[in-house]
Amino acid sequence: MALSRRQFVGGAVAVAGAAGTTGFSRPTRPAGLWEEFEATPYTHPQIPYVGRAGAHGGARRSPRPRVVANALAHGATPDARRGTTDVHGTDSAPAINRALAEAGERGGGTVLLPPGTYRIDDYLRIGHSGVVLRGAGSGRTKLLATRNLTELIGPYGSRYGGDKSSWSWAGGLIWLSPRARHDSLVAAIRDRAWPFEGWTGNKRDEWTTLTTVRPARRGDRSVTVDDPSALRRGQLVVLRLADDAAHTLLEHMAGDGPGPQAYVWDDKTKLTSYVPYEWPVRITAVRGRTVTLERPLPLDARPEWDPRLISGAEALTDSGVVGLTLEAMETPQSPHLLDKGYNGVTLQCAYDCWAEDVVVRHVDNGFGLVAASACTLRRTRVEGRGSHHPYFCREGAHDNLVEDFRIAARTVPAPAGTQLHGINVEGLSSYNVWSRGVMETGTFDTHRGMPFANVRTEITVENNGRHGGDASAGPLYGARFTHWNVTVTNGRAGLVKIDTIAPYSATVGISEVREFDQTDVPDFTGDLHARVEAYGSPGSVRPRNLYEAQRALSRR
């Protein structure tokens, strides 16, 4: 049973802020693992460097581009109201989409959505860079969504077969994705040619080599390239690492050594479909054949993985959605993996984009990061009848920041046959951060597909969800997962205390917990090289927030 807001307050935890931040008891001593990390921040064996996660390197303030349109001038009408079984009022989706498209065609800018409640019978698209949809605040501007993505676009099956609906983990009723890439995705879905969803096209064959990369090590900020002629400062490129026949790239993501070497990779067909690994990054300098990157390398670049800098889809950059509530029709939650697509806000093939002060209610899936990198979700909240994935992070999503977030207790009991995950990460997604959150329901859903090097810090969780992921997606965890100062209000261990299951992981300052319900076994044999510190004492070590401390370290 989820705790009430009153029950969440007290003891070592205090709940504050509209989006649900946490405050722990005063830290009393420095963590030994932190002192180790300070000495080797880019190459520590258990703790990933995430100090520049989020849009614009973790910038505290989101850009505020000039206002170029008011949705009212395009015909949006704030006259919507809920009836007993439906929504009354004018459909404002065409007007809002016209305003967003016009802003993009004029080179970007802010589209204002003044206070009021708007009916939308279609999904909203932000497909141009530099376009921001700005409401008057999540308590003042509301969108009432009447239709789901199955109705609007069509059924979306799984490329791996079966009767699953990919709307269970894809798409949003506010969808930020570059126009050309988005159009190709929608066309493939309507043709029932179920696509890959990342930077290199529906079949992962739409990319061009810019240059090959000489050997480099994880943590390097500069790489040597063979031909710098196609590169320039400020350019967004994709580092591509292909696996070899012996799967040594996957072994490297798992920390290398005897355990990953003994693991059987060949039959994990879903996992092996996730490679090559594609990591978008911006170039900050080109001097001769030396190229400096915005963030340190996430992995080694070894010759056997054919490291290249490539161009893929044109990215959506500097776009966002701010200050509104999106409320879907209150339909019963669908059976597991059969969601219709009453989804919230999704960022796809986006870089340096954001959502801020946004609430989604009665959704199948809340906030999505799909092949999105260097994006920020700040002061967001999922509430209402309960959702499958309140937050989903997948298809190679990297370097994202989710902070000051809340998953509210569901308002109706969960129907039989449904699933609740929580803060999801999968599909080789890496270097993502979830910081300062309150989860009144859900869990830390590491969803197989071997995500690696992710951080969850300063979070309070009523740990009552379950993780997903089928056997063909491979391990639950790669190397360098870190859980730092986490309060578990119901004492459940699953997916929070990870030292017995996650290789080269760090579990620091979490509540004392016990195993029950879904209990996992390690994917890798032998010593996991995992570390535990301050077990049973959340908030007892400093730094209180691992991301904030790394962010401060990166700016020294």
Side-chain angles (χ1 to χ4, degrees):
M1 178 177 175
L3 297 185
S4 68
R5 183 178 177 87
R6 180 180 299 275
Q7 288 172 303
F8 259 91
V9 180
V13 182
V15 179
T21 59
T22 61
F24 292 82
S25 58
R26 186 176 182 84
T28 59
R29 60 186 175 85
L33 270 166
W34 173 253
E35 293 177 334
E36 287 182 14
F37 177 83
E38 283 188 298
T40 58
Y42 302 136
T43 58
H44 192 276
Q46 282 86 17
I47 299 175
Y49 174 76
V50 293
R52 295 186 62 81
H56 298 283
R60 276 288 169 259
R61 299 187 66 180
S62 302
R64 294 181 68 96
R66 65 189 180 91
V67 175
V68 297
N70 186 312
L72 299 183
H74 288 261
T77 307
D79 63 352
R81 63 191 187 282
R82 283 268 185 230
T84 304
T85 58
D86 59 2
V87 175
H88 304 288
T90 306
D91 175 17
S92 291
I96 298 170
N97 278 326
R98 281 195 300 270
L100 292 169
E102 180 182 294
E105 289 160 4
R106 293 171 58 185
T110 296
V111 173
L112 294 180
L113 197 58
T117 301
Y118 302 80
R119 171 176 174 160
I120 57 169
D121 295 344
D122 197 357
Y123 69 102
L124 303 184
R125 311 161 186 73
I126 298 179
H128 293 84
S129 292
V131 174
V132 176
L133 177 62
R134 181 176 290 275
S138 59
R140 301 181 67 203
T141 297
K142 181 189 288 187
L143 302 170
L144 294 181
T146 64
R147 303 175 73 191
N148 58 57
L149 293 169
T150 299
E151 295 172 296
L152 295 169
I153 295 175
Y156 187 3
S158 170
R159 63 179 180 254
Y160 301 106
D163 62 353
K164 301 173 184 176
S165 168
S166 286
W167 297 128
S168 299
W169 52 76
L173 292 171
I174 302 178
W175 200 335
L176 292 81
S177 182
R179 183 173 57 174
R181 185 72 187 96
H182 182 80
D183 289 349
S184 71
L185 284 166
V186 171
I189 293 166
R190 287 177 170 157
D191 287 344
R192 297 179 176 258
W194 314 130
F196 287 92
E197 298 162 291
W199 296 92
T200 50
N202 296 339
K203 297 180 180 180
R204 300 198 75 180
D205 59 357
E206 298 175 20
W207 54 276
T208 301
T209 296
L210 301 173
T211 184
T212 51
V213 177
R214 296 291 178 90
R217 301 297 301 273
R218 174 173 69 91
D220 289 350
R221 281 289 300 275
S222 295
V223 296
T224 301
V225 302
D226 290 318
D227 180 4
S229 62
L231 307 179
R232 67 184 186 280
R233 183 176 182 270
Q235 183 178 6
L236 184 63
V237 297
V238 176
L239 173 68
R240 183 181 190 272
L241 300 175
D243 203 9
D244 59 9
H247 299 299
T248 60
L249 176 60
L250 292 173
E251 291 174 5
H252 181 51
M253 294 173 180
D256 292 312
Q261 289 171 4
Y263 186 78
V264 177
W265 301 97
D266 281 330
D267 62 349
K268 310 303 187 296
T269 52
K270 182 180 286 189
L271 175 66
T272 54
S273 78
Y274 296 150
V275 287
Y277 176 79
E278 296 171 350
W279 181 64
V281 66
R282 201 176 295 281
I283 294 172
T284 58
V286 180
R287 296 183 178 89
R289 293 195 297 119
T290 300
V291 177
T292 303
L293 306 174
E294 186 174 28
R295 293 172 172 85
L297 285 183
L299 296 164
D300 291 354
R302 300 180 187 171
E304 55 266 36
W305 304 330
D306 189 22
R308 298 166 181 258
L309 297 181
I310 67 170
S311 63
E314 181 178 351
L316 184 77
T317 61
D318 296 308
S319 293
V321 55
V322 180
L324 57 81
T325 290
L326 171 65
E327 183 175 307
M329 296 291 291
E330 189 173 355
T331 57
Q333 186 177 346
S334 297
H336 191 220
L337 302 177
L338 297 178
D339 295 344
K340 298 294 187 183
Y342 284 112
N343 297 343
V345 179
T346 289
L347 287 69
Q348 184 164 6
C349 295
Y351 194 97
D352 281 340
C353 293
W354 69 92
E356 185 168 1
D357 182 28
V358 176
V359 176
V360 297
R361 186 177 296 131
H362 304 320
V363 292
D364 293 337
N365 302 281
F367 292 89
L369 297 161
V370 180
S373 290
C375 294
T376 296
L377 305 179
R378 179 177 290 132
R379 294 191 294 123
T380 57
R381 186 163 76 249
V382 180
E383 59 186 39
R385 52 87 155 153
S387 55
H388 180 190
H389 296 102
Y391 290 83
F392 55 100
C393 179
R394 54 176 294 273
E395 200 82 3
H398 314 294
D399 303 304
N400 297 295
L401 171 63
V402 182
E403 65 179 356
D404 299 320
F405 67 95
R406 178 188 290 275
I407 304 173
R410 62 188 309 142
T411 54
V412 296
T418 61
Q419 279 282 3
L420 164 68
H421 296 312
I423 51 175
N424 155 272
V425 61
E426 59 182 292
L428 301 184
S429 297
S430 62
Y431 294 86
N432 301 289
V433 177
W434 293 262
S435 171
R436 293 198 307 269
V438 170
M439 300 170 61
E440 298 178 14
T441 190
T443 193
F444 290 3
D445 175 36
T446 306
H447 205 94
R448 299 204 175 273
M450 203 172 67
F452 65 95
N454 296 283
V455 168
R456 293 143 171 166
T457 183
E458 201 177 353
I459 297 172
T460 299
V461 55
E462 173 79 355
N463 190 17
N464 57 12
R466 298 169 65 87
H467 76 72
D470 59 44
S472 69
L476 274 170
Y477 301 91
R480 296 183 302 286
F481 257 83
T482 300
H483 292 171
W484 190 284
N485 276 343
V486 176
T487 295
V488 182
T489 55
N490 64 344
R492 180 186 177 208
L495 302 166
V496 176
K497 187 176 186 292
I498 56 174
D499 58 292
T500 61
I501 189 169
Y504 288 93
S505 62
T507 304
V508 178
I510 72 161
S511 301
E512 187 171 338
V513 291
R514 64 190 181 279
E515 294 289 352
F516 71 99
D517 194 20
Q518 188 176 39
T519 302
D520 293 294
V521 298
D523 291 293
F524 303 108
T525 58
D527 188 353
L528 294 178
H529 304 281
R531 303 279 294 277
V532 182
E533 187 172 350
Y535 174 56
S537 302
S540 67
V541 297
R542 61 179 187 267
R544 173 181 299 183
N545 185 293
L546 181 61
Y547 165 71
E548 296 289 352
Q550 290 197 23
R551 183 175 178 275
L553 187 68
S554 71
R555 285 156 174 76
R556 288 181 187 174

